[in-house]
């Protein structure tokens, strides 16, 4: 699918500048006022979207869904709430609905609405009803291009590049680099894919950069972590348009670094947010619960 990304709905409808993205969030946050109800800010909504994106990840793992299915669900969820406020639509069942729709669109049909509802003690009819809001809310744009496949492709290309130069230029250190890369390749794959998942949860990176650029930056970071930064630069410098990519890669690097810093995903443990960032999310959640309580009181007194 990668060759069709330039003409995709993702590229043409869901890729924004930082300023455009912020403006969309502010606009979604400005719903109708209710007397006696204190609305939360769009910044608080950002923290809550991180919280519920992590909840989608947890639900997906409990259902044995693949990372691409889970990340597709997170994209659907964040696309919807880029146009709508959490204050108007209950985010938790919307997260479950996003998983349900993602399972269908990614052809992973075992997680139907009944299984999801039973697993998480939810109302199946509510999940199905929310599907009728979700689909038009994202303009029925269901195809999502993730960095996972480009990442695997870039790993293979870098391996081929190092192997070819190990034969052609053995005196330049390529033989050593090729051997080191082969030794680290499994770990590079695993660590990179985990960084992609964390960044999808924590940031809006898929609204800002193409998946190929994200994948290239992840490989740069993973290679540098395993002391293979020098051969990566050799590989990078022979790529087409490499000079034009450098600025974006620095910005992507910052987003991925923030995600890796603030989210802990460990084997056999529930993923969580770290330290001070968790406190910010808890405070936003407190304000959200206060809003829900005031909204319920407003409805009773109408």
């Amino acid at each position: 699918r990668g060759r069709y990304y330039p003409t995709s709905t993702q590229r043409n409808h869901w890729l924004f500048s930082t300023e455009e993205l912020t403006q969309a969030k502010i606009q979604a946050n400005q719903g109708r006022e209710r007397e006696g109800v204190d609305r939360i800010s769009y910044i608080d909504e950002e923290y809550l979207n991180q919280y519920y994106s992590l909840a989608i990840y947890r639900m997906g793992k409990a259902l044995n869904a693949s990372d691409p299915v889970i990340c597709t669900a997170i994209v659907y969820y964040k696309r919807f709430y880029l146009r709508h406020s959490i204050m108007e639509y209950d985010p938790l069942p919307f997260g479950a609905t996003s998983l349900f729709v993602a399972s269908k669109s990614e052809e992973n049909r075992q997680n139907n609405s009944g299984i999801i509802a039973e697993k998480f003690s939810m109302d199946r009819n509510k999940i199905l009803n929310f599907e009728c809001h979700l689909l038009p809310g994202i303009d029925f744009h269901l195809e999502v291009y993730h960095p996972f496949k480009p990442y695997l492709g870039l790993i293979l290309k870098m391996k081929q590049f190092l192997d070819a130069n190990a034969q052609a230029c053995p005196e330049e250190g390529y033989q050593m680099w090729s051997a080191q890369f082969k030794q680290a390749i499994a770990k590079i794959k695993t660590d990179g894919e985990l960084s992609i998942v964390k960044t999808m949860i924590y940031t809006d990176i898929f609204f800002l950069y193409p998946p190929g650029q994200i994948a290239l930056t992840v490989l740069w970071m993973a290679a540098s972590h395993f002391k293979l930064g020098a051969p990566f630069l050799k590989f990078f410098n022979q790529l087409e348009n490499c000079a034009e990519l450098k600025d974006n890669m620095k910005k992507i690097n910052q987003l991925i670094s923030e995600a890796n810093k603030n989210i802990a995903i460990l084997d056999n443990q529930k993923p969580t947010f770290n330290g001070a960032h968790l406190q910010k999310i808890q405070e936003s959640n407190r304000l959200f619960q206060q809003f829900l309580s005031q909204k319920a009181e407003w409805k009773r007194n109408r």
Side-chain angles (χ1 to χ4, degrees):
R1 298 192 312 181
R3 59 182 172 162
Y4 299 118
Y5 172 77
T7 60
S8 68
T9 55
Q10 182 171 329
R11 167 66 182 82
N12 293 304
H13 296 274
W14 297 101
L15 198 63
F16 307 95
S17 69
T18 303
E19 294 75 18
E20 289 170 338
L21 187 62
T22 299
Q23 188 56 43
K25 291 178 179 180
I26 292 172
Q27 186 173 343
N29 178 257
Q30 294 171 346
R32 66 182 185 275
E33 296 291 334
R34 297 181 175 90
E35 185 177 351
V37 178
D38 299 323
R39 297 181 66 82
I40 63 175
S41 71
Y42 87 92
I43 299 294
D44 287 313
E45 289 206 55
E46 282 190 331
Y47 286 131
L48 289 165
N49 280 331
Q50 291 176 353
Y51 174 81
Y52 287 106
S53 294
L54 191 64
I56 291 171
Y57 177 83
R58 289 177 174 176
M59 287 191 288
K61 285 301 179 184
L63 293 165
N64 295 317
S66 67
D67 284 344
V69 169
I70 295 171
C71 287
T72 294
I74 291 171
V75 170
Y76 290 166
Y77 171 90
K78 289 192 175 184
R79 283 180 179 178
F80 183 84
Y81 284 109
L82 189 62
R83 294 178 171 177
H84 306 83
S85 173
I86 275 181
M87 293 178 283
E88 304 300 330
Y89 293 91
D90 190 349
L92 190 58
F94 247 106
T97 301
S98 296
L99 262 177
F100 167 52
V101 176
S103 294
K104 292 195 293 182
S105 65
E106 294 288 339
E107 300 183 359
N108 186 9
R109 303 297 180 87
Q110 68 265 30
N111 291 322
N112 60 47
S113 58
I115 291 173
I116 293 173
E118 182 178 359
K119 182 75 174 179
F120 304 112
S121 302
M122 293 181 178
D123 184 346
R124 179 174 180 266
N125 289 328
K126 195 170 190 178
I127 293 174
L128 293 173
N129 179 56
F130 274 22
E131 183 182 13
C132 297
H133 292 282
L134 175 65
L135 293 176
I138 61 174
D139 292 336
F140 298 91
H141 294 160
L142 297 176
E143 190 169 40
V144 177
Y145 291 80
H146 293 299
F148 296 107
K149 287 184 179 179
Y151 184 60
L152 295 179
L154 285 166
I155 289 175
L156 178 60
K157 284 182 178 295
M158 183 168 169
K159 177 181 177 298
Q160 291 171 341
F161 170 79
L162 294 176
D163 287 347
N165 281 280
Q167 297 292 326
C169 315
E171 69 283 355
E172 295 184 20
Y174 280 102
Q175 287 185 338
M176 179 186 67
W177 288 336
S178 178
Q180 290 175 339
F181 189 76
K182 288 176 184 176
Q183 188 174 8
I185 198 167
K187 193 68 176 167
I188 286 173
K189 176 181 177 296
T190 302
D191 286 9
E193 289 176 342
L194 188 58
S195 289
I196 291 170
V197 171
K198 287 182 179 180
T199 307
M200 297 288 279
I201 294 170
Y202 182 79
T203 76
D204 295 319
I205 198 167
F206 49 86
F207 286 135
L208 298 168
Y209 301 102
Q213 291 184 20
I214 298 170
L216 188 60
T217 309
V218 171
L219 181 56
W220 171 35
M221 296 174 73
S224 299
H225 178 74
F226 288 97
K227 296 181 171 53
L228 289 162
F232 172 82
L233 289 177
K234 295 280 189 181
F235 167 69
F236 174 75
N237 287 332
Q238 52 86 46
L239 296 176
E240 186 178 354
N241 299 324
C242 62
E244 300 172 14
L245 298 173
K246 288 182 179 178
D247 285 343
N248 276 359
M249 288 175 66
K250 290 176 182 177
K251 296 172 185 176
I252 296 169
N253 183 311
Q254 185 176 359
L255 291 173
I256 296 170
S257 296
E258 288 176 5
N260 284 328
K261 175 185 175 183
N262 287 299
I263 298 180
I265 299 178
L266 304 174
D267 290 340
N268 302 320
Q269 295 186 33
K270 285 188 175 180
T272 187
F273 295 100
N274 291 325
H277 195 76
L278 177 60
Q279 294 176 4
K280 293 176 183 177
I281 287 178
Q282 288 172 335
E283 175 60 16
S284 294
N285 200 30
R286 184 190 69 79
L287 294 172
F288 182 47
Q289 296 306 316
Q290 178 180 299
F291 165 82
L292 293 176
S293 178
Q294 291 178 353
K295 181 179 176 182
E297 182 68 22
W298 177 82
K299 285 184 174 180
R300 285 193 295 268
N301 294 332
R302 288 180 64 182

